[in-house]
Amino acid sequence: MAQYIPPKVWTWDAENGGNWANINRPISGATHDAELPVGRHPIQLYSMGTPNGQKVTIMLEELLAIGKSGAEYDAHLIRIGNGDQFSSGFVALNPNSKIPVMFDRDTGSRVFESGAILLYLAEKFGAFLPDDPAQRTEVMNWVFWLQGSAPYLGGGFGHFYFYAPEKFEYPINRFTMEVKRQMDVLDRTLAERPYLAGQTYTIADMLTWPWYGNLALGNAYDAGEFLDVESYTHLRRWAQEILARPAVQRGRIVNRTSGPLHEQLRERHDASDFDLRTQDKLEPAN
C-alpha cells in the first residue's frame, strides 16, 4: 500500500466516499432557502434521533414527566442526510449547521449545542441540576467530560470502524483504545455511585446515556463484541436502569428514522403521538 503524503495545500475532494460524505464540506452557511416549520408549543426543536438528538428529547420528556408543563414541545424532523440543516432557516438558528437546535418562543432564545440546550432547560425549569455548588460542579464536570469525549466515540471510533469506506488498522486501534479507556472511566465511577454525578439523576446522565449507554448495551456501530462491552458491568447496570425510565423510552424514539417502526416517532407535536403516530401506525402493512 502506497503511503499517503499530504499535499502542501489541502483541497476539498467532494467525492471522498463513505457514509455522510455528501453532507461534509469545509465551508459553512446555507445552501438553499427554506423556512423552518413552527408548531404551537413554547419550545420548538429541530433535530433527528441521533445520540445528540436523543439527549434533548429525553430531557424534555423527563421534564414533562415531573409536571413541568411549560416544557411541551414540537419536535420537527431534520433529515441530515438530505441536507436540511443547511437551509437558511436552520442556519439562522444554528450557524454551525448541526442538530439539535432549539428555539424558545417564551424568551426568544435560540439554543444550539446539546450540552447548552440541556443546561438551558435545567436552569429554566429548575430541575435535574443541583443548587448546591459542590454538587452542581460535579454535574458540570461530567457534562464537559461528555462533550469532550463523545467526538472520539462518534467521529473517531464510529467513523473508522463502521462508516468509513475502507478499514484501516491504525485509526481503528487508536480510537478503540480511547473508547475503551472512556468506558473504563465510566465503569469505575459507576462502581461507586448510582449516577455519574452522585446519588441523583441529572443532566449529566441524560447527556451521556445516548452515546455510552447505547454503546454499553451493544446498540451502537454493531461493535458490542468487538469492544467486549459485557465486561463493563457497572456501566451496563447504569445503562439498563436509565433505559427502563419511561421518559427515556419516549425520548429515545423522537425524530428517529431507523430501527423498528414502532420505535420511530418521526415528529412529535403532542403527547398522544407516542400512541398514535409511530411509524408502524402510519405505514401500510406489507
Side-chain angles (χ1 to χ4, degrees):
M1 180 183 300
Q3 182 179 3
Y4 171 67
I5 300 175
K8 290 184 178 180
V9 178
W10 183 85
T11 56
W12 180 29
D13 176 9
E15 303 299 325
N16 63 354
N19 294 61
W20 311 113
N22 64 315
I23 66 169
N24 292 323
R25 57 196 183 118
I27 54 175
S28 62
T31 61
H32 59 285
D33 290 327
E35 295 184 0
L36 292 175
V38 178
R40 62 188 176 91
H41 295 303
I43 292 174
Q44 301 295 300
L45 179 68
Y46 304 93
S47 189
M48 190 171 175
T50 66
N52 285 332
Q54 287 180 358
K55 299 173 187 177
V56 180
T57 48
I58 286 172
M59 174 66 163
L60 289 166
E61 291 297 328
E62 292 282 12
L63 288 168
L64 292 170
I66 61 172
K68 303 291 185 180
S69 60
E72 268 295 352
Y73 68 104
D74 293 281
H76 306 278
L77 176 61
I78 298 297
R79 294 182 181 272
I80 59 178
N82 294 347
D84 293 351
Q85 70 276 29
F86 299 121
S87 74
S88 56
F90 192 96
V91 172
L93 289 185
N94 185 357
N96 197 39
S97 292
K98 302 288 185 181
I99 62 97
V101 67
M102 187 182 80
F103 184 76
D104 185 345
R105 299 172 72 187
D106 285 343
T107 63
S109 298
R110 70 173 187 182
V111 196
F112 59 89
E113 291 297 320
S114 56
I117 295 172
L118 264 66
L119 180 59
Y120 177 92
L121 292 171
E123 292 180 334
K124 176 173 182 172
F125 293 104
F128 304 114
L129 183 62
D131 293 326
D132 176 79
Q135 294 177 6
R136 181 186 176 94
T137 297
E138 183 66 4
V139 172
M140 297 309 295
N141 288 338
W142 289 103
V143 167
F144 282 96
W145 179 90
L146 181 281
Q147 296 299 104
S149 297
Y152 288 97
L153 171 55
F157 175 79
H159 175 77
F160 285 105
Y161 180 79
F162 189 74
Y163 291 120
E166 299 177 71
K167 299 289 190 289
F168 294 102
E169 183 178 8
Y170 176 78
I172 290 175
N173 283 345
R174 168 67 181 87
F175 289 110
T176 298
M177 178 176 64
E178 174 60 13
V179 167
K180 287 183 71 67
R181 187 195 69 81
Q182 293 172 356
M183 287 195 291
D184 193 52
V185 169
L186 295 171
D187 195 62
R188 289 171 185 264
T189 299
L190 291 164
E192 301 174 349
R193 54 180 73 168
Y195 300 106
L196 282 176
Q199 300 301 310
T200 306
Y201 178 62
T202 70
I203 60 172
D205 302 288
M206 297 179 210
L207 283 163
T208 304
W209 184 87
W211 282 107
Y212 294 90
N214 277 318
L215 185 70
L217 296 175
N219 297 328
Y221 308 123
D222 195 23
E225 182 179 7
F226 181 75
L227 293 172
D228 188 23
V229 296
E230 293 189 3
S231 66
Y232 301 94
T233 56
H234 306 293
L235 175 58
R236 282 171 61 84
R237 182 271 306 163
W238 168 86
Q240 290 161 347
E241 289 178 1
I242 291 180
L243 178 59
R245 297 178 67 91
V248 174
Q249 288 285 336
R250 293 191 297 273
R252 64 185 286 271
I253 73 171
V254 176
N255 295 145
R256 188 171 175 181
T257 61
S258 62
L261 293 180
H262 71 279
E263 293 188 352
Q264 295 183 39
L265 181 60
R266 297 187 179 176
E267 297 222 346
R268 187 270 192 208
H269 302 286
D270 187 85
S272 65
D273 290 345
F274 291 101
D275 295 321
L276 302 177
R277 298 193 63 80
T278 51
Q279 206 61 23
D280 59 311
K281 311 281 195 323
L282 301 181
E283 290 192 14
N286 293 328

